[in-house]
Amino acid sequence: MLSDNDKEPSDAGPSDIIALQSLYTSNDSDAGVTPVSNSNINATDIEIKDTAVEIENNTDAEKAADETASVHLLLRDDREARPIVFSSTFAEVVFAGTLSFIPMMNAGNQGALQLALPHVAASFNIDGSQLSWTITSYSLVAGSVLLLMARLADIVGRKRTLVIAISWYTILSLVMGFIKSHIPFDVVRGLQAIGGAAAPPAAVGIIGILYSPSRRKNMVMATYAAGAPVGYIFGVIASGVCTQYLGWRAVLFFFAILYAVVGALVMYLVPSDKVLFEMSNQIVKAAGGTGFESVERDWRTCLKMLRSLDYVGAGMSIGGLTCFVFALSESSAAPKGWGTPYIIVLFVIGIAIMAGFVAWEMYVDEPLMPMYIWRFPGFALCMATVTCAWLVFQGVLMYFTSLYFQNILLYSAIRTTAAMLPQAVMGILVNIFIATNLHRIPSHYLMKVSMLAFLTASLLWALRPVHITYWAMSFPALCIVMIGADLAFNVVNHVTLASVPPQLKSTAAGVFQVIVQLAGSIGIGVSTAIVTSQIGNDIDGQSPEILHRGYRCAFWFAVAAASLALIMSLFLKIGTQGGDASVDQEKIAVLLAEQQEKKRMRKTHSAA
């Protein structure tokens, strides 16, 4: 993936180095940091810039600036060079591969449970909308707490958040394997989603700090992004094998073991939070900015910083999203559908709270979701486009594909796994293409191709007759949808990271993850309601022909959503990713200056 001809630290010249970080001389071996000493760095090749910082007020920001000036940080002018925190290219490759398991936490989990849904239904004696909660409970909780978890990662430390999230996910995966009742299973699965929500923003934030916009970053991000589609198929394969030979619960134990190993690798390979915060400060300083962070993140410091957290916004986001998605998901199972009073009330309350959340975030000084990122050129339209795309991808196609194979075509679990295996191969191929070409092709073209792929895949499923060979329509649909998913996921991730300064990388990543999770939940809720309105909740009592009629209605809903996404993509104006970042940094600087001015005026007004 990465070239072996990278510059070693000992080969770095004065033009390659901004400063030399003394933190690397400390014992950070557990964080995967290579100590910098006279033995591996030639003093004649390093320019150490001593900066005197005048401290007039004893504030946290000035202390952080003094720490930044009094230590030495190694950053390269050459953005294509390997980050100094990795002792070798091999270590960097292992790091990137390990982080690719983070998006797999959610995607693999979804794939595994979706394939096992018929067996879950038989085990718990449930069907219809009750069965959809096995999937929706995870997406609902993950989407509700994502913004809070992302902000916490920026405050308490990205590595610390990542390790805790993986540990939490692993323990609850083990617990779920022993639960024998439907409702407790869905509750614990929802709690597990807290770990799945906290990990991706932290991981993306780490990548955003370690890598400047470059082809090298494109490769690392493509490796990370591959974890979502490939992870989904990995989950399907693991679930198919376990379900066929050991029982569907075995896959839960498998994921518990897998992520215990991943957690250990993260602890060893990822740089310490102290190093990451120091790098963030140096990036800000090199750009001539302010807003330095304290590099110390012990629990006492974290508790002090948490006092400024936007708890009102967190409560509103969790409450609003929970009410909204619950109403969508439960509407098909309610006694009178959308005419049921509590469904209407929860739906209206959810929308009202989310509207209040947006207004609150525009007012508060330290928002959970900085609203100025929506003003970054192309960001809002890009998010609106990917919302419709994920309604199609996660909310319809991925949910009903495995059900189609098993309930209509009567495939076994292992045969369904084999049928969906081409998606993994296509996902790998698309990410290789992205890693090598994202800096060459303007992203708005890639987004148009992505939305066209979603539309094509949806049409193939909607038009598919029951009695036709797998290779005629199912195979191309499975492959084409992965083109759409991987192109969109990579492009939007890069746009998101380019829209904020280093201090808010995880927060911005959380915004994107909220969009993805919320879109998936809405898609499953709406498509399930459409299907049950056609055939009712009793799936087991229906013939394949009747089920096909209901599923086809869901696929036509996907066609409509994909068409809207394609239309919106026509208006996107996003350039290449991994080129010169100076223009983006200037835009960020302007938006930050406006934000700081608003804060100053608000404080002045309050004092008066």
Side-chain angles (χ1 to χ4, degrees):
M1 181 188 68
L2 300 174
S3 173
D4 287 324
N5 297 323
D6 301 317
K7 295 180 182 178
E8 295 295 330
S10 57
D11 298 328
S15 61
D16 290 324
I17 299 169
I18 294 177
L20 172 62
Q21 185 178 10
S22 64
L23 290 175
Y24 296 155
T25 63
S26 63
N27 185 16
D28 278 326
S29 59
D30 63 324
V33 180
T34 303
V36 175
S37 63
N38 292 334
S39 62
N40 59 10
I41 292 187
N42 190 335
T44 61
D45 289 338
I46 299 176
E47 178 182 356
I48 300 177
K49 296 187 176 181
D50 296 324
T51 306
V53 178
E54 180 180 357
I55 303 178
E56 296 179 355
N57 299 310
N58 189 24
T59 64
D60 290 339
E62 288 170 330
K63 287 181 179 179
D66 186 43
E67 290 171 350
T68 301
S70 62
V71 298
H72 312 290
L73 173 66
L74 202 82
L75 293 176
R76 302 176 189 269
D77 286 340
D78 181 6
R79 290 179 290 137
E80 298 295 341
R82 168 170 47 82
I84 189 59
V85 294
F86 302 116
S87 59
S88 65
T89 301
F90 175 77
E92 183 183 13
V93 171
V94 176
F95 161 83
T98 300
L99 285 195
S100 70
F101 281 88
I102 303 307
M104 191 184 295
M105 290 173 68
N106 297 320
N109 189 300
Q110 292 282 91
L113 267 295
Q114 282 178 353
L115 182 77
L117 279 179
H119 303 274
V120 174
S123 178
F124 291 141
N125 193 27
I126 57 174
D127 55 24
S129 61
Q130 286 182 311
L131 183 60
S132 70
W133 271 107
T134 303
I135 302 298
T136 306
S137 61
Y138 190 97
S139 300
L140 170 62
V141 176
S144 299
V145 303
L146 255 167
L147 287 175
L148 176 60
M149 294 297 106
R151 189 70 187 113
L152 285 175
D154 281 330
I155 291 176
V156 305
R158 298 175 180 94
K159 180 178 180 178
R160 178 179 290 165
T161 301
L162 190 56
V163 171
I164 294 175
I166 294 174
S167 302
W168 177 262
Y169 180 95
T170 301
I171 292 171
L172 291 189
S173 184
L174 184 64
V175 170
M176 287 166 58
F178 295 101
I179 297 177
K180 304 298 183 182
S181 178
H182 167 56
I183 294 178
F185 183 86
D186 288 348
V187 170
V188 175
R189 180 164 159 75
L191 293 174
Q192 185 190 37
I194 297 175
V204 173
I206 290 169
I207 295 173
I209 294 297
L210 292 178
Y211 295 90
S212 300
S214 60
R215 285 174 290 175
R216 193 181 198 90
K217 181 179 181 180
N218 290 351
M219 293 181 184
V220 175
M221 282 300 300
T223 303
Y224 173 85
V230 175
Y232 179 87
I233 302 304
F234 178 80
V236 169
I237 294 171
S239 181
V241 173
C242 291
T243 300
Q244 187 76 16
Y245 300 108
L246 301 173
W248 68 271
R249 295 178 186 275
V251 74
L252 300 173
F253 300 129
F254 171 77
F255 272 93
I257 296 171
L258 174 64
Y259 278 94
V261 175
V262 171
L265 288 173
V266 165
M267 292 182 67
Y268 177 74
L269 293 168
V270 176
S272 69
D273 283 319
K274 190 172 185 178
V275 171
L276 291 171
F277 282 122
E278 189 61 51
M279 292 186 74
S280 175
N281 283 344
Q282 289 290 337
I283 292 170
V284 173
K285 182 181 177 182
T290 58
F292 298 105
E293 302 177 294
S294 172
V295 299
E296 298 296 339
R297 283 299 192 275
D298 56 29
W299 289 110
R300 189 170 298 177
T301 303
C302 290
L303 288 174
K304 182 179 179 181
M305 297 182 68
L306 286 173
R307 295 173 186 170
S308 63
L309 188 66
D310 181 16
Y311 291 103
V312 174
M316 294 177 74
S317 67
I318 294 173
L321 289 170
T322 300
C323 291
F324 180 74
V325 178
F326 181 87
L328 282 174
S329 302
E330 194 66 16
S331 60
S332 59
K336 297 181 181 179
W338 280 100
T340 308
Y342 76 85
I343 295 294
I344 299 174
V345 170
L346 288 175
F347 185 77
V348 173
I349 289 176
I351 293 178
I353 293 177
M354 287 191 292
F357 168 74
V358 173
W360 173 259
E361 295 300 283
M362 296 174 66
Y363 169 79
V364 69
D365 286 339
E366 300 293 337
L368 199 65
M369 180 177 66
M371 298 305 293
Y372 69 82
I373 67 175
W374 295 95
R375 295 169 53 199
F376 190 84
F379 183 81
L381 184 57
C382 199
M383 287 297 170
T385 304
V386 83
T387 298
C388 291
W390 247 251
L391 280 172
V392 175
F393 178 64
Q394 189 172 317
V396 181
L397 297 186
M398 291 297 96
Y399 181 74
F400 282 101
T401 295
S402 63
L403 292 178
Y404 192 100
F405 284 134
Q406 295 180 82
N407 294 336
I408 295 178
L409 301 181
L410 305 180
Y411 283 9
S412 65
I414 198 68
R415 188 179 179 186
T416 300
T417 300
M420 300 181 71
L421 187 59
Q423 287 190 310
V425 178
M426 181 58 69
I428 293 172
L429 293 176
V430 173
N431 276 283
I432 291 174
F433 171 82
I434 291 170
T436 55
N437 291 280
L438 197 58
H439 64 287
R440 295 191 180 101
I441 305 174
S443 294
H444 64 91
Y445 289 129
L446 296 177
M447 287 294 286
K448 292 176 178 64
V449 172
S450 171
M451 300 308 115
L452 183 61
F454 282 124
L455 177 58
T456 303
S458 301
L459 281 170
L460 286 171
W461 281 110
L463 297 173
R464 187 194 193 283
V466 176
H467 303 292
I468 192 174
T469 178
Y470 162 84
W471 301 101
M473 300 182 79
S474 298
F475 174 75
L478 290 169
C479 294
I480 290 171
V481 75
M482 298 310 295
I483 296 175
D486 282 305
L487 288 178
F489 193 85
N490 274 278
V491 169
V492 179
N493 255 321
H494 280 279
V495 171
T496 301
L497 290 177
S499 304
V500 294
Q503 302 97 317
L504 296 174
K505 295 294 186 185
S506 293
T507 300
V511 173
F512 173 49
Q513 292 294 326
V514 165
I515 296 294
V516 170
Q517 293 289 344
L518 182 59
S521 295
I522 293 174
I524 291 175
V526 173
S527 59
T528 301
I530 291 172
V531 171
T532 54
S533 69
Q534 295 293 315
I535 65 176
N537 282 319
D538 185 16
I539 294 178
D540 293 335
Q542 305 293 352
S543 67
E545 288 74 18
I546 294 177
L547 288 175
H548 178 262
R549 186 184 67 194
Y551 289 1
R552 175 175 280 185
C553 292
F555 292 136
W556 279 116
F557 165 70
V559 170
S563 299
L564 179 59
L566 179 59
I567 292 172
M568 289 191 291
S569 71
L570 298 177
F571 299 95
L572 284 172
K573 297 179 181 179
I574 312 171
T576 56
Q577 305 297 324
D580 186 2
S582 59
V583 176
D584 290 343
Q585 295 302 320
E586 290 174 4
K587 294 173 183 175
I588 293 174
V590 171
L591 293 174
L592 281 174
E594 293 178 0
Q595 187 75 5
Q596 292 296 330
E597 180 63 19
K598 288 181 180 179
K599 287 184 180 180
R600 188 190 65 79
M601 293 179 64
R602 191 178 295 125
K603 289 180 179 179
T604 302
H605 179 73
S606 299

